[in-house]
Amino acid sequence: MRLAVPSKGRLHDPTIDLLERAGLHIENGTERQLYASTVDPDVTVLFVRAADVPEYVADGAADAGVTGLDQVREAGVGLDERLDLGFGRCRLVLAAPKDGSLESVSDLADKTVATEFPHIAREFFAERGIDPGVVEVSGATELTPHVEMADAIIDITSTGTTLRVNGLEIIEEVLSSSARLFARPETADDPKLQEVETALRSVLSAEGKRYVMMNAPEDRLDEIRDVIPGLGGPTVMDIAGEEHVAVHAVVEERDVFETINDVKELGASGVLVTEIERLVD
């Protein structure tokens, strides 16, 4: 199976880190490589521009790929979204000069919009029944309203700070995006793709969770169950020759502090908290 991933940019490092944590270790490095093998002889990684990943997958050069939802929507190709990877979050927004007269999408009917995402822009306006001029640019989109090249822009933002610094304000959100695993529809039943998806999902499922183990008095087990916000309830095991039982549970990291205090008050001892690398549901 060939997996296309971003060769550089803000999605590259998080993607490689996720693959490594999922057990798909890249064997011959990523620096200036066009492709690399992994510890799984059936999985090869291709390094391409994030914007090219959709075409690689759609054309069959890769069986699956990791890139932003914005890139797939802009490419206009029919891919299956398999998994939201949770990083690279951003918004594609429509923005205009703060001191201007444009306040809603309908105000742009006879105006011009500059963007690096012309396909998404045209679809967005078509859904709202208007047809402004769309000017494709390759950078410095925020500058275009100030040099009278466009009346408004559609651009990527994470916090909105850059827009505000450049005297622009958001009129409407066009698209919410993040890095995701995509595949061609005809590869949906590929066993190797399903293995890769399961491995990635297991890492994502483990994020923000901790494994809590303790010895607890058996006669207070019901009370302890009530205070452990475990994933599907705690696992309880007998300890030979003792009146205590071993209690294991998966707990959200934010709940660990309170959980430990609660179970200690109920007589639990030997409480151990460990990180979870992978969690297969």
Side-chain angles (χ1 to χ4, degrees):
M1 189 191 87
R2 295 185 296 269
L3 177 68
V5 305
S7 57
K8 56 184 179 180
R10 63 191 181 91
L11 299 184
H12 172 78
D13 288 346
T15 300
I16 299 304
D17 177 64
L18 179 59
L19 292 177
E20 292 286 333
R21 288 189 289 145
L24 280 173
H25 305 292
I26 295 173
E27 294 194 311
N28 49 351
T30 63
E31 292 297 324
R32 299 183 180 179
Q33 296 284 337
L34 297 178
Y35 62 91
S37 57
T38 69
V39 292
D40 187 330
D42 295 324
V43 179
T44 300
V45 174
L46 309 180
F47 298 102
V48 301
R49 292 193 319 133
D52 293 335
V53 169
E55 290 294 347
Y56 269 70
V57 178
D59 292 344
D63 301 293
V66 173
T67 192
L69 175 63
D70 56 313
Q71 300 294 348
V72 172
R73 292 285 180 85
E74 179 59 26
V77 293
L79 300 181
D80 281 349
E81 181 184 320
R82 304 300 296 255
L83 187 61
D84 188 338
L85 304 179
F87 57 83
R89 294 195 181 281
C90 61
R91 296 182 299 154
L92 199 58
V93 299
L94 172 66
K98 187 175 182 179
D99 56 358
S101 60
L102 301 178
E103 298 179 350
S104 68
V105 177
S106 60
D107 293 335
L108 288 158
D110 58 350
K111 304 297 183 180
T112 302
V113 179
T115 183
E116 294 183 53
F117 301 88
H119 181 78
I120 292 176
R122 292 188 178 98
E123 283 195 337
F124 172 76
F125 291 123
E127 290 173 356
R128 284 153 180 78
I130 62 174
D131 187 26
V134 175
V135 177
E136 183 175 1
V137 295
S138 57
T141 310
E142 298 91 346
L143 179 63
T144 57
H146 301 293
V147 295
E148 299 181 352
M149 184 176 175
D151 300 291
I153 68 171
I154 289 180
D155 201 15
I156 289 287
T157 184
S158 295
T159 64
T161 301
T162 301
L163 295 174
R164 290 192 293 272
V165 167
N166 287 281
L168 303 171
E169 64 179 0
I170 296 173
I171 295 176
E172 188 169 322
E173 181 176 300
V174 176
L175 176 70
S176 178
S177 180
S178 61
R180 306 182 189 191
L181 176 68
F182 294 95
R184 285 178 290 118
E186 53 267 37
T187 65
D189 297 325
D190 186 316
K192 184 56 62 175
L193 173 61
Q194 292 175 355
E195 287 178 16
V196 170
E197 183 179 343
T198 297
L200 298 178
R201 190 184 300 276
S202 71
V203 174
L204 299 175
S205 296
E207 289 181 349
K209 296 181 175 63
R210 294 294 182 265
Y211 195 62
V212 179
M213 298 167 279
M214 70 194 75
N215 295 332
E218 189 169 8
D219 60 357
R220 307 203 70 177
L221 186 55
D222 288 340
E223 294 172 87
I224 288 176
R225 280 196 179 104
D226 289 340
V227 300
I228 295 179
L231 185 66
T235 299
V236 179
M237 295 169 284
D238 291 331
I239 302 176
E242 295 192 20
E243 295 181 355
H244 284 63
V245 292
V247 178
H248 294 195
V250 176
V251 176
E252 294 287 345
E253 183 179 15
R254 64 177 179 270
D255 296 327
V256 168
F257 180 82
E258 184 176 355
T259 298
I260 291 176
N261 289 328
D262 288 343
V263 298
K264 288 288 289 181
E265 289 181 2
L266 293 170
S269 60
V271 181
L272 177 64
V273 180
T274 66
E275 293 187 358
I276 304 174
E277 291 186 1
R278 295 172 62 176
L279 179 62
V280 180
D281 295 329

